[in-house]
Amino acid sequence: APLRRSLQLCSRCYPVRASWSYEAIKQQYRLEVPEYFNFARDVLDRWTEVEKEGKKSKNPALWWVDGAGEEVKWSFEELGVLSRKVSNVLSDACSLQWGDRVILILPRIPEWWLVNVACMRTGTVLIPGTQQLTAKDILHRLQKSKAKCIITDESVAPAVDSVGAECQSLKFKLLVSDSHREGWLNFKDLLKNASSDHHCVTTKCQDPMAIYFTSGTTGSPKMTQHSHSSYGIGLTVSGRYWLDLTSSDIFWNTSDTGWAKSAWSSIFSPWIQGACVFVHKMPHFDPRISLSRFPITVFCSPPTAYRMFVQHKLSSYTFKSLRHCVSAGEPINPDVMEEWKAQTGLDIHEGYGQTETVLICGNFKGMKIKPGSMGKPSPEYDVKIIDENSNILPPGKEGDIAIRVKPTRSPFLFTCYADDPEKTEATIRGDFYVTGDRGMMDEDGYFWFVGRADDVINSAGYRIGPFEVESALVEHPAVVESAVVSSPDPIRGEVVKAFIVLTPDYASHDPEKMMKELQDHVKKVTAPYKYPRKMEFVEQLPKTISGKIRRNELRQKEWRKD
Ligand code: ATP
Ligand code: MG
């Protein structure tokens, strides 16, 4: 029975686009959570059956290309066979069992997808990490997670070896490479000889599936534990209504394999819909080339990439197949959306979520877009703006963005911060999970991002969200990007300070004049009290590995000076 119910997940009829509305999504939307669920068995293997019956498009499940002309195309069936082999490598060669933790640090290579699926099949708990981690980061992650196995390539293996002795729990090291390394098992050799017979373990919906590290924008990255059902079922709304995917689509998400975003958009959301996951292992990031060369229909990228795109103009490229674009991870400036639309004819559908959640708010396909807004809440959550006493605030009032968790916690929310009950408990206020982000809901039910709670500036009694000021600044042709933070002031307590990266054309302008011009510009396009009284021109902004602006670093520097 549980299997049958989850099969309905992917065979549920797809709503007719023409009659689409947010209200319709809300009404149609009812996700059942069975007692048992395993994404590999209940979704991927189901697509294999649909594929065999000839009832889906001929697109592969995974289409991987690199910059050197190499290509891999796997059907759902091939993905099934290969991931079963990897499952046998994990359970036989590495004796891993249900609940054991596995750290995976690989670039965008097909093996990354195989290990993801194999961990689901074996019930081992996957912990992805980015290639850019240092030996110190790896040590921290190995010790904190008590992982029993690490899977990586030659570029990261030396860093693992340099700290391995300090990690008692680490028993197996798997090297994904054509060459061999002392103390490491060779993944490719083992895979060649492994059997493709594997019986998927039975997992309950709430059993742990993976631990994702948050981006570390505000501090040390947190180990966010997710169950089999949270992303596996909860990202249905994202795949179907925000990304607008069907099994005929070829979907490209550019995020690095180390983050939850990659699970969201390079595994769960597209595969729930049977869509093709397109992967480009790029030596250099120029998505314009991929979008014009490959028949990508849906594209997902963080705002930084769109900002870069519109700077470089797209006129010499045509994206023939592209029909739908989304952005998430940071707020996207209305000006960038406008420019993108002018150049491609397409809207950017912004989505808002966290490592801890599935999609919280989104501009769903077919919905009216209000530029600068994160759209409306996902139907699987009850999202509210609350005050410090957890009272729900009316439209138009700024407060904390929160998700109701009482009387029942959504199964589509993280289970806990792994091994840290106190930190987990600290996210709850009254009946709500508090996101740590500030926002506002308007009369039409659209949500507007103000800033991370710590980033909001309080100047002479005015509360100012950095994003609004940054958006105003980026509208000026001289500004590539900016970060707005609070800075100490003897009279006002704190004032708005902008760190600004100028375009090459303006870089040599007189800073005094430039500052005056930009201040006047902000005063013109937004409420004048928000204008940055202080300004600093910089070559680049401090960012996390995933490319998010680290305002707290700039803020701390400001306040340390005085
Ligand atoms: P850490 O929690 O370690 O400080 P992080 O919060 O950046 O890092 P993620 O879980 O990757 O880690 O990011 C989620 C956060 O990203 C959200 O809480 C929000 O602040 C921001 N975010 C995501 N999407 C949007 C969006 N569309 N608009 C504004 N902010 C967004
Ligand atoms: Mg966070």
Side-chain angles (χ1 to χ4, degrees):
L3 180 62
R4 206 177 54 239
R5 244 177 297 164
S6 53
L7 291 186
Q8 287 167 5
L9 190 72
C10 33
S11 56
R12 194 185 305 257
C13 71
Y14 197 69
V16 184
R17 276 194 193 127
S19 65
W20 229 340
S21 71
Y22 178 72
E23 293 315 316
I25 296 174
K26 268 201 98 150
Q27 274 169 18
Q28 283 171 19
Y29 190 79
R30 240 166 264 111
L31 267 190
E32 285 177 63
V33 178
E35 188 179 357
Y36 297 93
F37 179 77
N38 187 293
F39 188 78
R41 184 194 63 184
D42 297 337
V43 177
L44 297 178
D45 293 351
R46 167 66 183 145
W47 278 114
T48 302
E49 286 169 35
V50 178
E51 189 179 77
K52 278 187 187 157
E53 290 161 9
K55 289 187 181 154
K56 76 171 273 302
S57 88
K58 296 222 171 341
N59 285 340
L62 184 78
W63 181 3
W64 175 92
V65 297
D66 72 357
E70 287 288 319
E71 183 173 76
V72 166
K73 279 183 179 175
W74 286 334
S75 62
F76 279 97
E77 185 177 8
E78 287 164 311
L79 181 72
V81 170
L82 289 164
S83 62
R84 282 189 195 91
K85 281 173 163 249
V86 178
S87 304
N88 283 324
V89 171
L90 298 184
S91 17
D92 297 344
C94 303
S95 344
L96 295 176
Q97 293 180 356
W98 187 95
D100 284 340
R101 294 173 176 175
V102 177
I103 292 191
L104 174 66
I105 306 176
L106 285 178
R108 296 177 186 89
I109 55 173
E111 287 82 354
W112 186 82
W113 279 261
L114 295 183
V115 174
N116 267 267
V117 179
C119 285
M120 296 170 198
R121 292 191 190 281
T122 52
T124 49
V125 179
L126 176 82
I127 310 176
T130 159
Q131 288 259 297
Q132 295 176 46
L133 296 176
T134 62
K136 197 168 136 249
D137 298 329
I138 293 172
L139 174 66
H140 175 73
R141 287 178 186 217
L142 281 167
Q143 285 181 334
K144 237 185 135 194
S145 68
K146 303 193 182 64
K148 209 165 164 187
C149 173
I150 187 162
I151 307 175
T152 188
D153 66 3
E154 286 141 325
S155 65
V156 175
V160 175
D161 282 338
S162 72
V163 298
E166 295 170 64
C167 310
Q168 273 81 30
S169 314
L170 185 64
K171 298 284 184 275
F172 295 96
K173 298 184 284 186
L174 274 178
L175 188 71
V176 182
S177 163
D178 292 325
S179 55
H180 292 79
R181 186 179 173 90
E182 169 126 20
W184 291 70
L185 295 168
N186 188 284
F187 181 87
K188 292 190 176 176
D189 286 354
L190 291 169
L191 188 63
K192 243 183 261 154
N193 301 319
S195 153
S196 58
D197 281 337
H198 182 269
H199 191 74
C200 184
V201 296
T202 302
T203 45
K204 286 199 163 184
C205 260
Q206 287 306 310
D207 285 344
M209 185 203 66
I211 294 171
Y212 300 103
F213 278 86
T214 57
S215 300
T217 312
T218 53
S220 215
K222 299 174 281 273
M223 298 205 313
T224 312
Q225 183 166 305
H226 277 275
S227 67
H228 280 270
S229 64
S230 57
Y231 282 4
I233 298 179
L235 282 167
T236 306
V237 166
S238 151
R240 196 167 294 179
Y241 301 112
W242 176 50
L243 300 173
D244 189 41
L245 294 170
T246 72
S247 72
S248 311
D249 280 303
I250 296 174
F251 174 53
W252 187 28
N253 163 51
T254 60
S255 54
D256 180 280
T257 50
W259 312 108
K261 186 70 191 30
S262 188
W264 270 46
S265 297
S266 294
I267 294 186
F268 295 101
S269 308
W271 281 346
I272 286 171
Q273 292 299 99
C276 167
V277 171
F278 177 84
V279 186
H280 199 165
K281 184 173 182 282
M282 292 162 291
H284 304 291
F285 188 73
D286 192 346
R288 293 173 301 178
I289 298 175
S290 319
L291 287 171
S292 54
R293 194 177 295 165
F294 298 98
I296 294 156
T297 57
V298 182
F299 177 61
C300 174
S301 211
T304 358
Y306 286 106
R307 277 199 289 269
M308 190 188 86
F309 278 174
V310 298
Q311 281 295 321
H312 292 98
K313 300 287 179 228
L314 302 161
S315 47
S316 53
Y317 297 88
T318 43
F319 308 150
K320 283 191 287 298
S321 308
L322 192 64
R323 63 167 186 82
H324 186 61
C325 302
V326 310
S327 155
E330 280 189 297
I332 185 150
N333 320 90
D335 189 51
V336 175
M337 292 171 71
E338 206 176 293
E339 187 62 29
W340 177 260
K341 178 131 193 186
Q343 296 192 34
T344 65
L346 297 168
D347 287 310
I348 296 173
H349 295 251
E350 182 175 352
Y352 160 69
Q354 302 184 304
T355 307
E356 291 87 340
T357 67
V358 292
L359 192 71
I360 302 174
C361 290
N363 286 282
F364 301 102
K365 176 82 183 196
M367 202 172 106
K368 178 186 164 212
I369 294 180
K370 294 192 187 186
S373 154
M374 309 189 290
K376 291 188 179 187
S378 258
E380 66 251 291
Y381 291 144
D382 184 9
V383 188
K384 293 280 186 274
I385 302 292
I386 62 167
D387 69 9
E388 59 282 5
N389 300 316
S390 70
N391 298 310
I392 297 168
L393 293 172
K397 284 261 182 280
E398 182 207 306
D400 294 303
I401 304 175
I403 299 170
R404 190 187 290 283
V405 289
K406 286 179 193 159
T408 32
R409 187 180 170 101
S410 164
F412 312 129
L413 206 59
F414 74 122
T415 334
C416 58
Y417 292 123
D419 314 324
D420 199 340
E422 271 170 30
K423 204 165 234 167
T424 310
E425 191 50 38
T427 60
I428 304 296
R429 185 191 305 158
D431 291 349
F432 294 91
Y433 159 73
V434 182
T435 59
D437 293 319
R438 305 275 299 173
M440 198 190 72
M441 188 185 77
D442 69 16
E443 292 285 349
D444 300 327
Y446 282 70
F447 278 65
W448 299 78
F449 183 79
V450 171
R452 289 168 186 270
D454 299 343
D455 287 346
V456 174
I457 304 158
N458 197 340
S459 181
Y462 289 105
R463 293 176 54 77
I464 301 163
F467 172 58
E468 248 189 304
V469 185
E470 289 163 11
S471 286
L473 282 164
V474 87
E475 276 182 40
H476 191 283
V479 178
V480 177
E481 56 181 2
S482 71
V484 164
V485 302
S486 77
S487 178
D489 180 84
I491 298 160
R492 291 183 162 78
E494 45 186 289
V495 294
V496 177
K497 172 161 180 181
F499 290 83
I500 293 173
V501 179
L502 292 172
T503 57
D505 294 350
Y506 287 83
S508 55
H509 280 214
D510 175 46
E512 287 287 307
K513 279 198 198 133
M514 198 71 248
M515 175 162 149
K516 178 82 178 53
E517 187 176 328
L518 290 173
Q519 286 175 328
D520 288 345
H521 163 79
V522 175
K523 285 186 203 167
K524 237 188 294 158
V525 299
T526 180
Y529 69 87
K530 291 176 191 162
Y531 87 91
R533 285 170 198 270
K534 296 188 189 174
M535 232 176 244
E536 192 172 322
F537 299 105
V538 291
E539 297 270 304
Q540 58 188 30
L541 300 171
K543 289 188 180 167
T544 61
I545 301 174
S546 58
K548 296 191 192 202
I549 299 170
R550 300 196 70 235
R551 292 181 192 79
N552 68 335
E553 193 177 312
L554 295 168
R555 183 172 58 242
Q556 275 167 17
K557 260 208 308 229
E558 284 306 296
W559 288 84
R560 220 178 300 141
K561 265 186 210 162
D562 292 40

